[in-house]
Amino acid sequence: MIPLSHFLFISACLFCIGLYAVLTKRNAIQVLIGIEFMINAAVLNFVAFGRFDANGGGGQMFALFAIVLAAAGVAVALAIILNVYKHFKTIDPVKTDTLKD
Amino acid sequence: MNDLIPLISSSINDTLASLSHFYAEIILAAGFLLVILADLFLSRRFTQLCFLISLSTLLLLGVQSVILLNTKTVFLFGGMLKLDHTSILFKLLFCFSSLLFAIFIRYNSPLQKHVKGTGDLFAILLATLLGMNLLAMSMNLLMVYISIEMVSLGSYLMVSYISADKAQTESAMKYALFGAVCSAIMLYGISLLYGFTGTLNFNDPAFINALKNVSGLSSGVAISLVFIGVAFKLSIAPLHFWAPDVYEGAPTPVTAFLSTAPKIAGFAILIGLLPVFQSEGGQTNTQYFDFNVILAVLATASMLIGNFTAIWQNNVKRMLAYSSIGHTGFMLMALFAFQGSGFQALIFYMAVYIVMNMAAFLIVDEIEEQTGILLIDEYKGMGKSNAMLMTTFVIVLVSLTGLPPTVGFTAKFLVFSSAFEAYRNTDSAVILIMIITAAISTLVSLFYYFKIPLNAFLRNSQIQVMAPGNSPKAYLGLLLAILLLVLIVFPSVIVKLI
């Protein structure tokens, strides 16, 4: 049987990879992929911890909801990115900088 | 599996019993569906049907909340939600803000002229309001996450609704990406909290006890991660930098809404999670993580950054964005005496804040539609060409600063006195510094708020701006400004509800 710590280690790695992608990638869709990594790290945690739930099923349930909400969030973000491309002809968050102090 | 079967009938009974306390949300969901249907089939013939449906839904919701105001605490849906006096007060605030927002949309010409029409915007508004109502009631981390996402997704869609120019799409993208990162971080924090405690119900005493048994470092990390998600909604200091861009780029009615309702929803969930965040108190491992100190430092930083950066802004919407960051820091002060007078002070401040901010944005939008002016420098001579609008604006700005004879003074006074109470109870130096910062930043706010009347009344411009007649939006702003003047004499109207 695989111990809990292995799952936690993998999910921590996933979370860090995602955060790294979010901070360094200069393409809005790659940033979204990073966000997806972070959400899935949390989902992995939920499923792993769900085995030890007092009432059973809480973690699995949360994982399902998190996956659905992540999909909804990505759909909205992609629509917005499409609009950005129409106006700027680029989806580099660094180059879209008309608003600043 | 078989041992769960006897539970089915009792859980069905619980759900049915809960539904009778769930009318407000059922009304909202019904209104949401009606708006979508009306927009699909009837919007050609009756252009304002969606507006009328949402308006009546919101009025019905407000009346329903007022009737339920003094209800006793009930737990709904197996402890998922808690309906009590506090949550109903928050629902009333959300409802009030949404009502003003709906009227604002009705009289905003860029939104009205938009090809898609405003039907979808009203549907999004009702769905977002549903999310905020659930957020104010949630007692379970799953519910917190779902409702925060509901509010966030609705807000992203509202900001990107028109997408008419570069600034609007850019602000929407910044908001959506930054918001998604913050909610992903929050989700990871929630998963850690779940791992430490084995339950998602944070109202459960076992949750707090289990959290206290974890080492301070680990629980501190998990709590900080969850707090990042809440702080994003509140737009306080380290996570504030999306706010000015989004407020400037978004359509003005949306900015007015974003600066009030979702921010207050952030406070609602912060109050709900406060026992979890403060769970370190009284244990051996407090030296790692003291949430109260962190909150005080962040409140101080928000007040400083918000108010001092606002001085350099020339765009009115951006200036109001920074000032709203400062106001959030100010509202956080009331949380330190939350068991005592803080609660009343906070709710009072929020109610007044909705009126002030909505009125300010209504007038900014009216000026922009009449003359196309959005920069403070160009307000020169406006006091002569449109005296009524500018006088209203001055009353609102006096109230935002917190000076008599407006109710902004009463609100600031209540928060200050509750913060003093917190200082007397704890003798903490951090709270003292926070109070002093609040006093200084109130003084600083005079400079940037009064740049507007200075330009409008005391300086003349070569270009004579001829303003056309005022729209109903201007009169709504005037009504809210009069409300600000009247409420200082009769603050009991609000206090009685609290």
Side-chain angles (χ1 to χ4, degrees):
Chain A
M1 195 192 129
I2 306 168
L4 180 67
S5 55
H6 287 38
F7 287 103
L8 296 188
F9 180 70
I10 290 179
S11 91
C13 287
L14 271 179
F15 185 77
C16 294
I17 294 170
L19 197 61
Y20 176 77
V22 165
L23 295 175
T24 56
K25 291 297 171 197
R26 292 186 48 183
N27 179 315
I29 293 183
Q30 283 175 327
V31 173
L32 271 186
I33 295 172
I35 293 168
E36 209 61 16
F37 265 100
M38 292 162 77
I39 292 174
N40 282 306
V43 168
L44 187 61
N45 258 357
F46 275 119
V47 177
F49 287 137
R51 237 184 91 80
F52 305 94
D53 191 302
N55 316 316
Q60 272 83 352
M61 211 47 163
F62 205 127
L64 282 178
F65 275 99
I67 292 167
V68 172
L69 284 172
V74 167
V76 171
L78 281 177
I80 291 172
I81 291 171
L82 207 60
N83 268 327
V84 169
Y85 185 75
K86 266 191 217 153
H87 285 280
F88 287 89
K89 296 291 169 219
T90 172
I91 48 171
D92 182 348
V94 180
K95 283 187 191 145
T96 54
D97 56 351
T98 52
L99 298 166
K100 55 188 164 193
D101 278 321
Chain B
M1 188 54 85
N2 279 325
D3 49 334
L4 293 178
I5 288 173
L7 293 175
I8 291 177
S9 64
S10 71
S11 84
I12 288 178
N13 285 337
D14 175 55
T15 309
L16 289 178
S18 304
L19 279 177
S20 63
H21 297 280
F22 205 54
Y23 284 136
E25 285 67 30
I26 295 173
I27 292 171
L28 264 178
F32 171 69
L33 292 176
L34 271 179
V35 169
I36 290 185
L37 289 178
D39 187 43
L40 270 179
F41 298 114
L42 300 165
S43 61
R44 294 270 163 74
R45 247 177 295 165
F46 313 100
T47 42
Q48 293 306 337
L49 188 63
C50 293
F51 167 66
L52 292 175
I53 294 175
S54 357
L55 198 67
S56 40
T57 309
L58 290 170
L59 287 174
L60 198 63
L61 188 69
V63 171
Q64 204 264 353
S65 302
V66 172
I67 293 171
L68 272 183
L69 197 58
N70 285 319
T71 182
K72 55 182 193 306
T73 308
V74 234
F75 288 94
L76 310 178
F77 301 110
M80 273 280 179
L81 302 172
K82 182 171 89 171
L83 185 74
D84 62 352
H85 184 60
T86 318
S87 64
I88 293 178
L89 278 177
F90 274 111
K91 283 191 203 178
L92 264 178
L93 290 175
F94 301 146
C95 183
F96 179 53
S97 167
S98 307
L99 201 64
L100 292 175
F101 178 49
I103 302 172
F104 203 162
I105 298 173
R106 169 68 187 80
Y107 294 107
N108 177 280
S109 61
L111 282 172
Q112 289 294 326
K113 282 179 196 143
H114 186 52
V115 244
K116 275 187 288 191
T118 49
D120 290 336
L121 192 54
F122 286 115
I124 298 169
L125 164 66
L126 293 182
T128 311
L129 183 59
L130 180 59
M132 290 191 290
N133 275 0
L134 293 176
L135 193 57
M137 294 197 291
S138 37
M139 276 292 125
N140 187 298
L141 291 171
L142 176 57
M143 207 61 230
V144 170
Y145 182 68
I146 294 176
S147 39
I148 279 204
E149 283 294 280
M150 271 175 96
V151 179
S152 300
L153 289 180
S155 313
Y156 307 151
L157 289 170
M158 281 184 201
V159 171
S160 60
Y161 193 72
I162 307 185
S163 294
D165 55 20
K166 281 190 166 184
Q168 273 174 2
T169 53
E170 184 196 333
S171 66
M173 183 175 78
K174 281 181 175 168
Y175 191 27
L177 289 183
F178 193 58
V181 173
C182 285
S183 75
I185 293 176
M186 182 181 180
L187 185 64
Y188 196 73
I190 291 177
S191 78
L192 290 181
L193 284 183
Y194 174 60
F196 292 151
T197 60
T199 170
L200 287 166
N201 188 346
F202 60 82
N203 195 39
D204 195 345
F207 187 94
I208 307 278
N209 287 335
L211 203 57
K212 278 182 179 162
N213 290 330
V214 181
S215 111
L217 200 59
S218 331
S219 65
V221 169
I223 288 170
S224 313
L225 291 178
V226 175
F227 183 65
I228 286 176
V230 179
F232 165 76
K233 278 258 135 302
L234 289 170
S235 72
I236 55 178
L239 296 164
H240 69 282
F241 40 81
W242 61 273
D245 287 353
V246 173
Y247 286 17
E248 186 186 340
T252 315
V254 175
T255 309
F257 182 70
L258 285 186
S259 69
T260 51
K263 192 172 274 229
I264 292 171
F267 271 102
I269 194 55
L270 181 59
I271 290 168
L273 286 173
L274 215 51
V276 177
F277 287 155
Q278 291 172 336
S279 61
E280 293 300 303
Q283 282 289 307
T284 46
N285 46 18
T286 44
Q287 61 271 42
Y288 287 118
F289 186 81
D290 187 345
F291 185 74
N292 280 333
V293 173
I294 293 178
L295 200 62
V297 171
L298 295 184
T300 315
S302 304
M303 284 188 276
L304 286 176
I305 292 176
N307 286 300
F308 279 91
T309 323
I311 300 178
W312 316 113
Q313 304 306 321
N314 197 16
N315 184 304
V316 189
K317 279 162 84 177
R318 219 179 163 81
M319 187 271 275
L320 285 172
Y322 277 109
S323 99
S324 91
I325 295 169
H327 278 284
T328 315
F330 200 84
M331 285 191 250
L332 283 180
M333 286 211 311
L335 288 179
F336 291 92
F338 197 65
Q339 301 307 327
S341 60
F343 175 68
Q344 199 185 22
L346 185 66
I347 300 284
F348 190 86
Y349 198 95
M350 282 170 179
V352 174
Y353 175 77
I354 291 179
V355 178
M356 297 190 293
N357 246 30
M358 276 288 175
F361 280 111
L362 277 167
I363 297 159
V364 166
D365 194 44
E366 179 70 20
I367 293 173
E368 193 193 349
E369 271 181 26
Q370 283 185 9
T371 60
I373 291 174
L374 205 59
L375 298 179
I376 298 175
D377 284 348
E378 295 172 0
Y379 274 25
K380 284 172 190 158
M382 202 86 93
K384 290 201 187 76
S385 58
N386 201 334
M388 183 215 107
L389 213 53
M390 274 338 254
T391 318
T392 316
F393 207 178
V394 172
I395 297 171
V396 174
L397 290 175
V398 168
S399 183
L400 277 169
T401 321
L403 295 177
T406 56
V407 74
F409 171 73
T410 324
K412 275 228 154 109
F413 179 76
L414 284 174
V415 172
F416 263 120
S417 55
S418 76
F420 266 119
E421 186 187 305
Y423 172 63
R424 271 205 308 274
N425 289 342
T426 56
D427 250 348
S428 150
V430 193
I431 295 184
L432 185 66
I433 295 171
M434 186 174 67
I435 295 170
I436 295 170
T437 317
I440 295 171
S441 57
T442 305
L443 200 68
V444 169
S445 69
L446 265 175
F447 288 99
Y448 59 84
Y449 285 135
F450 279 62
K451 253 193 340 201
I452 292 171
L454 179 75
N455 275 325
F457 288 104
L458 301 177
R459 291 192 182 142
N460 288 318
S461 102
Q462 273 74 37
I463 321 147
Q464 194 61 43
V465 193
M466 269 321 289
N470 290 324
S471 76
K473 218 162 39 189
Y475 295 107
L476 181 63
L478 181 67
L479 190 75
L480 292 178
I482 293 172
L483 196 65
L484 290 175
L485 291 173
V486 172
L487 277 177
I488 193 173
V489 192
F490 307 106
S492 56
V493 180
I494 301 179
V495 174
K496 237 188 338 202
L497 288 179
I498 305 169

